[in-house]
Amino acid sequence: MRIGIDIGGTTVTVGMLDDNSVINKETIKTYPKDGADKVIKRINLTIQSVIDQSGACLSDISHIGIGCAGMLDRSRGTIIYSNNFGWKNVLLKDKIQKVFPLPVYLENDANCAALGEYVAGTGKDYNSMVMVTFGTGIGGGIIFDDKLFRGNNGFSSIIGHLLLVTDGELCTCGRKGCWEAYGSVNALVKDAGELADQNPDSMLKKLSDRDGELNGKNIFEAIRQNDKAACELFSKFIHYMAEGVTDIVHVFNPQSIIIGGGISEQGEIILEPLRELVLKYTYCGATTMPVIKTASLGNEAGIVGAANLDKYHD
Amino acid sequence: MRIGIDIGGTTVTVGMLDDNSVINKETIKTYPKDGADKVIKRINLTIQSVIDQSGACLSDISHIGIGCAGMLDRSRGTIIYSNNFGWKNVLLKDKIQKVFPLPVYLENDANCAALGEYVAGTGKDYNSMVMVTFGTGIGGGIIFDDKLFRGNNGFSSIIGHLLLVTDGELCTCGRKGCWEAYGSVNALVKDAGELADQNPDSMLKKLSDRDGELNGKNIFEAIRQNDKAACELFSKFIHYMAEGVTDIVHVFNPQSIIIGGGISEQGEIILEPLRELVLKYTYCGATTMPVIKTASLGNEAGIVGAANLDKYHD
C-alpha cells in the first residue's frame, strides 16, 4: 500500500493506493492563505483519516508521494517558492515525516500527472510521452527511457511558456507571447468573452447570460451546436493548440502526446482537427507524427503518479 | 585510431583521430548532384588517402563514424532522404564497408557537432548541453545523461523549427513563423539587404557594394563600427536569438547552451546581450539560467563527434 497526495491551489487530495488502484481518497480545500503550517496540519489529519478508512496500519504503507505546484527542492523535500500558495521555503517533507515516519517523495504536480497517465492511464501503451495539460495555464510532463525528464535541475518541461508570438500578448510570467497566453483554457475563456460581447445574438452570449459566466464547458456546448462565433473561436484555438504541440514534436519527437485537463473530455472534437494540423505543421510529417490521445485518469492522475514516485525519483 | 567523416552539402571532411586529436584530415567538394554512387566513391578514395597519409594500417583503426545531413536510418546506416543532396535511400554504410571492413556508425550532422563539442570542446565541462548552430538554418544537438537525446525515432532536436511568430514568415519547411526564418544567418543577411537598400548612406550599404554581397562577416563588421542601421538590425537579431534560446531553456533546462556556426566567432558581442535577454525572458530566471558559451572546435566538431559515435550510438 502507498499514499499519493496531490496539492493544488484549490484542493488537496490524499489517496490510498494498492498498486495503481485507488482504494479510498479524501479531498479537502487548500486555503493556502492560512499559511503552510496550518495547511500541512490539515494534510496530516487527512492522511490519518485516509489510513483509518482504508483499514491499513502504518506498517502496511511503503511510502508517501506528493505532487505539488511550485518550485521544489526534491532532494530536501521543500517548496522553495509557490506563487499559487504564496509560500516560501516550506519544509514539507520534514513536517509530514514528523507525523508519519515513512519515506516521503516530492515532485511537481505536472510531472506527477504525467507519471500517473504513463504508469496507469493512456500513456501506459507507449515508451515515451509528453503530457500537455490545458487549464489555467498549459503544463507539461515528459517521460523518456522510463524516466521523468527533469533537465539539469528540475526545471524543464515549462512548455506553457514556449513562444507563440514574439512581442505578443503579455503572459502572467512577464514574457510576451507565450503559448499559454493564447492556448490555455483561460485564454479561450477570455477570447470567448470578447466574442460574445461583439456578437450579442450568438449562442456564446446566450450561454454566458444563462450561466453567469463563460467556461470550458459552455464554450464547447456552443461549439458542438455549431454557433458561428464559437466555431470561429474554436478554429483559432485549435490552431494555437497545434502550434504548441508541433513545437513539442520538433524538439522531443515523442511516441505519444497525451492531452490532459478538463478540455480532454471533449475527445475527438479536439483530437481530430489537432492531429490534422500537427501533421500539416510538423517538419518531418508522418515520420515523426506521434499518437495524440486524451488522458484517461482525470483528476486521479496526480495521486497515482505521486504514489509511484518511489520508482521515478532518480 | 578512428576515422570521423563530416558529409555536408558543400564539402566532405575525412579525419584520422587519435583519441580526440585530429592527426590529419582532408576536405573535398561534395558535388552531390553527381549522384550518391560517385560521391561515395570519392569519399572512399579520400578515406584511403587519409589512412595512407596518417601512416596507419587498417588494423590500427577501430571504426568509422559519419555525420551526415538528412533523414537517416541509423541502424541500417542508410540516408532515407536528404533534401540538401537530392538523395533517397542511399546505402551509405554498406558502400563504405565494402571497401573498409570496419564498424561504421551513422548520425545526423547536427548531433555529431554537438557530440564533438561535448567530448572535446566547450561542452566538456558540463553534464548536459544543447548546441545551437546558426547558419543557413538553425540546427540543434542535445546531450543529457551522457547520451545524445534522439526522441522516439531519431527526429528530435529540430529546434530551428520552433515557432517564433504564429502565421509569420514562410519557412523553407512550409510552416509559417519558424525560428530559423527569423534568427538564422540567412534571415540576418536577408534583413540586412533590405535595410541596406533603405539606407543608402549606411555602412551596410557600403560594405555590400565593396564585397559584392552581404554576409555574416561584413554585417558584423558594420555592427562593430556602430553603423546605425546595422545596430538596429543586430538588436532585432539578438532578440530573435534570445527568444529561441529561451524556449530551449524552458523545455530542456540544460546546464549549458553552446552557440555554434560561423557567427560564434563574434564571441562576447553576441553572448553578452544574449545572456541578458535570456535571463529576462526565462520563466524561472537565474534558477534555470544555463551557461551560454560559444563552441570551440569550429568546423572540426563534426569529425570529432563522428569519431566518437561508437560510444554514443545506443
Side-chain angles (χ1 to χ4, degrees):
Chain A
M1 308 275 268
R2 47 206 181 148
I3 289 173
I5 304 180
D6 186 4
I7 306 181
T10 313
T11 59
V12 178
T13 300
V14 178
M16 177 68 76
L17 287 91
D18 188 8
D19 197 13
N20 288 323
S21 302
V22 179
I23 305 298
N24 60 315
K25 62 175 180 176
E26 278 180 41
T27 298
I28 59 168
K29 293 272 182 193
T30 313
Y31 299 124
K33 283 184 182 162
D34 289 352
D37 278 347
K38 279 198 184 166
V39 175
I40 296 171
K41 206 170 170 186
R42 285 201 294 267
I43 292 174
N44 278 332
L45 289 171
T46 311
I47 294 172
Q48 190 57 59
S49 164
V50 166
I51 294 173
D52 293 345
Q53 290 294 319
S54 73
C57 316
L58 201 61
S59 60
D60 297 331
I61 301 163
S62 59
H63 64 275
I64 297 174
I66 306 174
C68 183
M71 286 174 66
L72 311 175
D73 182 329
R74 289 184 304 120
S75 60
R76 292 193 303 152
T78 62
I79 302 171
I80 301 169
Y81 175 68
S82 168
N83 62 334
N84 288 28
F85 305 162
W87 293 357
K88 263 187 190 169
N89 297 318
V90 174
L91 309 176
L92 182 60
K93 176 179 162 175
D94 285 356
K95 287 174 197 278
I96 286 181
Q97 278 185 325
K98 232 181 197 168
V99 184
F100 304 98
L102 291 168
V104 170
Y105 304 100
L106 186 61
E107 182 57 73
N108 83 58
D109 53 348
N111 279 351
C112 282
L115 190 54
E117 289 292 335
Y118 175 70
V119 297
T122 307
K124 71 179 190 297
D125 299 329
Y126 306 102
N127 295 323
S128 61
M129 59 167 267
V130 176
M131 180 153 174
V132 188
T133 302
F134 293 85
T136 313
I138 299 176
I142 296 159
I143 294 168
F144 271 88
D145 297 328
D146 201 35
K147 276 188 201 162
L148 275 166
F149 182 87
R150 296 186 175 96
N152 177 49
N153 56 347
F155 299 105
S156 68
S157 320
I158 306 178
I159 60 172
H161 300 279
L162 279 165
L163 196 67
L164 199 91
V165 186
T166 188
D167 300 318
E169 295 267 332
L170 185 65
C171 181
T172 52
C173 75
R175 190 184 187 194
K176 283 182 180 170
C178 292
W179 185 23
E180 77 171 37
Y182 294 81
S184 64
V185 176
N186 263 27
L188 177 73
V189 170
K190 184 171 159 273
D191 290 349
E194 289 170 9
L195 216 54
D197 289 342
Q198 290 158 18
N199 297 277
D201 296 332
S202 65
M203 183 169 296
L204 271 183
K205 178 67 181 158
K206 278 172 205 133
L207 295 180
S208 170
D209 292 344
R210 182 195 73 189
D211 299 341
E213 64 164 20
L214 282 167
N215 53 44
K217 276 206 185 353
N218 57 21
I219 290 170
F220 274 93
E221 193 181 330
I223 292 165
R224 282 174 187 274
Q225 299 204 32
N226 278 317
D227 176 54
K228 192 164 164 276
C231 288
E232 204 177 287
L233 176 76
F234 180 65
S235 62
K236 236 174 58 177
F237 181 70
I238 284 287
H239 168 65
Y240 295 151
M241 272 186 107
E243 290 280 42
V245 168
T246 299
D247 275 4
I248 290 167
V249 174
H250 283 163
V251 292
F252 287 110
N253 173 215
Q255 194 183 13
S256 64
I257 290 183
I258 312 296
I259 307 294
I263 210 173
S264 64
E265 289 164 21
Q266 304 299 331
E268 287 298 319
I269 293 259
I270 283 176
L271 293 178
E272 210 186 301
L274 180 62
R275 289 184 191 119
E276 195 181 308
L277 288 180
V278 173
L279 183 62
K280 185 178 158 197
Y281 298 158
T282 304
Y283 184 78
C284 299
T287 318
T288 55
M289 188 66 191
V291 170
I292 303 180
K293 290 190 174 176
T294 49
S296 58
L297 299 187
N299 53 21
E300 281 192 356
I303 56 173
V304 174
N308 278 278
L309 285 175
D310 57 322
K311 294 188 293 288
Y312 291 89
H313 202 254
D314 283 1
Chain B
M1 308 274 267
R2 47 203 183 152
I3 289 173
I5 304 180
D6 186 5
I7 307 182
T10 313
T11 59
V12 178
T13 300
V14 178
M16 177 70 75
L17 287 92
D18 188 8
D19 197 14
N20 288 322
S21 302
V22 179
I23 306 298
N24 60 313
K25 62 176 180 175
E26 279 180 39
T27 298
I28 58 169
K29 293 272 181 192
T30 314
Y31 297 125
K33 283 184 181 161
D34 289 351
D37 278 348
K38 278 198 184 167
V39 175
I40 296 171
K41 206 170 168 185
R42 285 201 293 267
I43 292 175
N44 278 332
L45 289 171
T46 312
I47 295 173
Q48 190 57 58
S49 165
V50 165
I51 294 174
D52 294 345
Q53 289 293 320
S54 73
C57 314
L58 200 61
S59 60
D60 297 329
I61 302 164
S62 59
H63 64 274
I64 297 173
I66 306 174
C68 184
M71 287 174 65
L72 312 174
D73 182 330
R74 288 184 306 119
S75 61
R76 293 193 304 152
T78 62
I79 302 171
I80 301 169
Y81 175 68
S82 167
N83 62 335
N84 288 27
F85 305 163
W87 293 357
K88 263 187 190 171
N89 297 317
V90 174
L91 309 176
L92 182 61
K93 176 179 163 177
D94 285 358
K95 286 174 199 277
I96 286 181
Q97 278 185 326
K98 232 181 196 169
V99 183
F100 303 98
L102 291 168
V104 171
Y105 304 99
L106 187 59
E107 182 56 72
N108 83 58
D109 53 349
N111 278 350
C112 282
L115 189 53
E117 289 292 335
Y118 174 69
V119 296
T122 307
K124 71 178 192 298
D125 299 328
Y126 306 102
N127 294 323
S128 60
M129 58 167 268
V130 176
M131 180 154 174
V132 187
T133 302
F134 293 85
T136 312
I138 299 176
I142 296 159
I143 293 167
F144 271 89
D145 296 328
D146 201 35
K147 276 188 201 164
L148 274 166
F149 183 87
R150 295 186 176 96
N152 177 48
N153 56 348
F155 299 104
S156 68
S157 320
I158 306 178
I159 60 171
H161 301 278
L162 280 165
L163 196 68
L164 198 90
V165 186
T166 187
D167 300 317
E169 295 268 332
L170 185 64
C171 181
T172 52
C173 74
R175 191 184 186 194
K176 283 180 180 169
C178 293
W179 185 22
E180 77 172 37
Y182 294 82
S184 63
V185 176
N186 263 26
L188 176 72
V189 169
K190 184 171 159 272
D191 290 349
E194 289 170 10
L195 216 54
D197 289 342
Q198 290 159 19
N199 297 277
D201 296 331
S202 66
M203 183 171 294
L204 270 185
K205 179 66 181 158
K206 279 174 204 131
L207 295 180
S208 171
D209 292 344
R210 182 194 73 188
D211 299 340
E213 64 166 20
L214 282 167
N215 52 45
K217 275 207 185 350
N218 57 20
I219 291 171
F220 274 93
E221 193 181 330
I223 292 165
R224 280 175 188 274
Q225 299 204 32
N226 278 316
D227 176 53
K228 191 164 166 273
C231 289
E232 204 177 286
L233 176 76
F234 180 65
S235 64
K236 235 173 60 178
F237 181 70
I238 284 286
H239 169 63
Y240 296 150
M241 272 185 107
E243 289 280 42
V245 168
T246 300
D247 274 4
I248 290 167
V249 174
H250 283 161
V251 292
F252 288 110
N253 173 217
Q255 194 184 13
S256 64
I257 290 183
I258 311 295
I259 306 295
I263 209 173
S264 63
E265 289 164 21
Q266 305 300 330
E268 288 298 319
I269 293 259
I270 283 176
L271 293 178
E272 210 187 302
L274 179 62
R275 289 184 191 119
E276 195 181 306
L277 287 180
V278 172
L279 183 63
K280 184 178 159 196
Y281 298 159
T282 304
Y283 184 78
C284 300
T287 318
T288 56
M289 188 66 190
V291 170
I292 303 181
K293 289 190 174 177
T294 49
S296 58
L297 298 187
N299 52 21
E300 280 192 356
I303 56 173
V304 174
N308 278 279
L309 286 175
D310 58 322
K311 293 188 293 287
Y312 291 90
H313 202 255
D314 282 2

